[in-house]
Amino acid sequence: MRATFLPFSTPTIEDAEINEVVDSLKSGWITTGPKVKRFEEAFKAYVGAPFAIPLTSATAGLHLTLLALGIKEGDEIITTPMTFASTVSMIILCGGTPVLVDIEPGTLNIDVGRIREKITPRTRAIIPVHFAGQSCDMDPLFDLAREFGLTIIEDAAHAVGTEYKGRRIGSLESISIFSFHPNKNITTGEGGMVCTADENLAEEVSLMKFHGISREAWKRVTASGTPNYDILMPGFKYNMMDIQAAIGIHQLPRLDGFIDRRREIAEFYNQELAAVAELALPRYAPYQQRHAWHLYTPLLRIEQLAIGRDRFMEELKKYNIGSGLHYKAIHHHAWYREHMPVPDSELPNASYASERILSLPLFPKMTMDDARDVVAALTAVIAEFRR
Ligand SMILES: Cc1ncc(COP(=O)(O)O)c(C=O)c1O
């Protein structure tokens, strides 16, 4: 058995990031400033977005985007139950009503073919989540958006570097929201980015991210700025700091390499686990894309095992292998069970996955020996608890 614990994810931080953070700390400028601007420009160029707004998190991006779109009580927003809570929480906190559409069993992305039946006169937007870094099928989503006058807000928290039919997520005719949480494909510690081609939306999100103070307000404390300022609207405090951007500036150029490495490990898992009858492996969508492999999420066929998923994860730990849970479906969480109950029969694929899914270790610094240890531990636990 391996001697040290293998977490399910850990960020790849090199000297370049560390030195850049130290440079910020020594510079006297640690909050929003020139490095945030550099990161914004670099990210915008990478994804091909006309406008990008750096923030403290993707959650902040979802919040401000929904507010900027004027989402209010009575508005319905269609999304997936197989996501992190904030996709849905932000809808509720803006007064909207989340409408959950089931997932496809292979990719675990929202089942685009099931959306039309959930559209009502109150529907305002659709939030597809590019689950695990694999793009949702965007063309039919854009067709629906045009037909019904809806906005598409991509929850691209997993999809930094994902491509759909040759186009990068972030450059499509929608709003895309990325996360730079430490587990994500690149990190800024915590952080997020809203990308859009809509100048008015970009302007509004920019204003709301920092107290409603006009856009370049941080310059007011520099030699070229003026200390006076005006509040153009009530706003939040969601601005990314230079300390965060200092990390991102050096992560971004390595992103493609990170994704290549993630793919190598994912394909190793695909190959080594293909014959394990107790696992249903993640599937590739049929359309052309680049999967960013943020997560590797097989489903356990628990009917063939004497233990459930949570116990299975505990057993993996005994082999010093960590795992993650992405996700217990939204409608299985306590608050949603109580306040917005949805029977499993309405979301059969998400309900099935929710009880069986686990995330295997997947991060660029992992060695192939680490990946072999994961396969060995999985097969050992399965052999021990096979029915
Ligand atoms: C699908 C999804 N949406 C939104 C978020 C929120 O991102 P953040 O932690 O940057 O707020 C996450 C983060 O885990 C996520 O996985």
Side-chain angles (χ1 to χ4, degrees), residues 12-23 246-247 250-251 254:
T12 308
I13 303 292
E14 308 282 356
D15 283 348
E17 286 90 327
I18 294 167
N19 294 337
E20 196 72 51
V21 170
V22 170
D23 176 73
I247 303 171
H250 294 282
Q251 291 267 294
R254 302 215 302 280

Side-chain angles (χ1 to χ4, degrees), residues 267-334:
E267 285 179 352
F268 175 78
Y269 285 151
N270 276 340
Q271 185 188 310
E272 296 297 308
L273 300 172
V276 180
E278 292 80 4
L279 293 177
L281 302 185
R283 302 235 193 90
Y284 279 108
Y287 39 85
Q288 195 271 330
Q289 55 152 327
R290 174 165 84 155
H291 194 321
W293 282 113
H294 165 53
L295 298 172
Y296 189 90
T297 54
L299 305 188
L300 286 174
R301 295 201 167 102
I302 51 180
E303 298 71 15
Q304 300 177 31
L305 296 167
I307 55 175
R309 186 266 322 283
D310 293 354
R311 171 76 189 283
F312 193 96
M313 291 166 85
E314 287 302 311
E315 293 296 327
L316 282 179
K317 264 198 221 161
K318 293 182 185 163
Y319 289 84
N320 262 337
I321 300 295
S323 56
L325 175 49
H326 308 89
Y327 295 96
K328 175 158 108 173
I330 290 296
H331 63 296
H332 283 185
H333 285 276

Side-chain angles (χ1 to χ4, degrees), residues 117-136:
E117 66 203 60
K118 296 284 187 176
I119 295 175
T120 75
R122 290 181 301 281
T123 308
R124 294 282 315 278
I126 305 172
I127 310 185
V129 176
H130 303 299
F131 184 81
Q134 169 153 243
S135 177
C136 294

Side-chain angles (χ1 to χ4, degrees), residues 16-90:
E17 286 90 327
I18 294 167
N19 294 337
E20 196 72 51
V21 170
V22 170
D23 176 73
S24 289
L25 293 172
K26 288 182 173 169
S27 76
W29 195 277
I30 57 180
T31 187
T32 311
K35 288 186 187 176
V36 171
K37 193 70 195 162
R38 259 170 75 193
F39 183 53
E40 173 191 319
E41 292 299 330
F43 194 81
K44 212 163 68 171
Y46 179 85
V47 300
F51 302 98
I53 304 104
L55 299 167
T56 45
S57 66
T59 303
L62 286 159
H63 191 194
L64 296 186
T65 298
L66 292 166
L67 289 173
L69 291 171
I71 297 304
K72 56 181 186 325
E73 196 139 348
D75 290 341
E76 293 177 0
I77 315 284
I78 292 175
T79 192
T80 168
M82 197 36 92
T83 187
F84 184 59
S86 63
T87 319
V88 184
S89 312
M90 290 305 110

Side-chain angles (χ1 to χ4, degrees), residues 140-151:
L141 275 171
F142 288 129
D143 288 344
L144 284 173
R146 275 187 287 273
E147 185 178 342
F148 294 97
L150 309 175
T151 304

